[in-house]
Amino acid sequence: MRIAITGTTGYIGARLQYHLQKTHEIIPISRNGGDGYPPFDLSQPFSLHQTLNLLNVDIIIHAAAIARRKKCTENPELANVINVEATRVIAEWAKQRGIRLIFLSSLGIYEDNAYANTKRLAEQVIHATGAIYTTLRLAYAFGFSPSNSSPKPMQRLEHEIRFPGTVSFDDSWHFQPTSLEHVCHVIQAIVENKSQPQELNVVTIEASTMFEIASACLPHPIQACNDLKERQEHFISKTYLSDFKLPECSILSFFDEVCNTLQHTCKNRNL
């Protein structure tokens, strides 16, 4: 199957390309262009057709976005253009071509901040286009990626590996993390089983804290803090994955992936 993926220079998009290219033909499209495709600049939504109209694919996975909350807060106009308006263009194109769209959203839609607002609006505009779509809502993501970028929680674990005792981990706010390996298996199953769920929550079944994650995955004692005690908790009691016979992820499986990723990091950096 021919699959286009946006954001393949990013943390999640790079892992999706790495995983899916083993069994499918992947067309990576990013702001850098390449492989005969012009740059795919989400800040210029109306220019995206130059690339989209060159694609001959069965599915497009839209993983590109401004994912940093701080950046969205500092520049809400740009966040709206990239996270909402560019998504609208992609969804309308997918609708016109009859191409399946898999959109990576966020469980942050239940919060009230600039990033959450753009993801919530993006989900709404996709639905309004009438495109054939599946929205995957992710939480904080952890795991191996070929990308040079990684989200802040993963960076904190890697920093503590390099400099033991320099990072403290919150033990007050409980959340359900996302495993990159799990995301890959869910998308692969959706593609190959041709199931058509509209919204799925791709998180672990159980909740955890950053301190619990760090304690399970780091080889030495760590420091705890309660910096996030005021943050609202939102527990997802139903992921809807089992309804479509899609794989679920336990917190123990998640710990295994994070441990393996950190071991890989140590090996590569001779730590």
Side-chain angles (χ1 to χ4, degrees), residues 120-221:
R120 190 163 49 247
L121 286 172
E123 289 193 18
Q124 293 170 5
V125 301
I126 290 173
H127 181 75
T129 65
I132 302 169
Y133 73 92
T134 295
T135 292
L136 303 182
R137 296 184 182 128
L138 315 183
Y140 282 129
F142 296 76
F144 164 74
S145 173
S147 172
N148 291 326
S149 65
S150 59
K152 190 173 181 179
M154 198 70 207
Q155 290 177 8
R156 290 172 63 82
L157 291 171
E158 293 171 350
H159 188 85
E160 178 66 14
I161 281 280
R162 298 178 65 187
F163 307 104
T166 59
V167 180
S168 57
F169 295 90
D170 178 78
D171 197 27
S172 58
W173 179 61
H174 291 79
F175 67 103
Q176 291 159 277
T178 292
S179 153
L180 278 191
E181 183 174 4
H182 184 217
V183 173
C184 290
H185 288 306
V186 167
I187 290 179
Q188 184 170 356
I190 289 172
V191 168
E192 296 177 357
N193 298 342
K194 298 183 179 179
S195 59
Q196 297 192 3
Q198 284 197 321
E199 285 96 20
L200 297 170
N201 301 310
V202 188
V203 294
T204 58
I205 301 169
E206 308 93 340
S208 185
T209 66
M210 273 303 302
F211 178 81
E212 290 169 348
I213 293 170
S215 296
C217 302
L218 294 174
H220 56 265

Side-chain angles (χ1 to χ4, degrees), residues 9 15 28 33 38 48 57 73 88 164 171 175 180 200 214 223 266:
T9 59
R15 175 63 186 268
L48 301 181
V57 296
T73 301
R88 185 196 308 274
D171 197 27
F175 67 103
L180 278 191
L200 297 170
Q223 303 177 59
C266 292

Side-chain angles (χ1 to χ4, degrees), residues 59-85:
I59 292 174
I60 183 166
I61 300 173
H62 184 29
I66 296 180
R68 304 286 184 183
R69 298 184 184 201
K70 183 178 179 181
K71 188 172 182 179
C72 290
T73 301
E74 292 173 346
N75 198 335
E77 293 82 8
L78 180 63
N80 186 72
V81 168
I82 289 178
N83 290 0
V84 182
E85 294 308 318

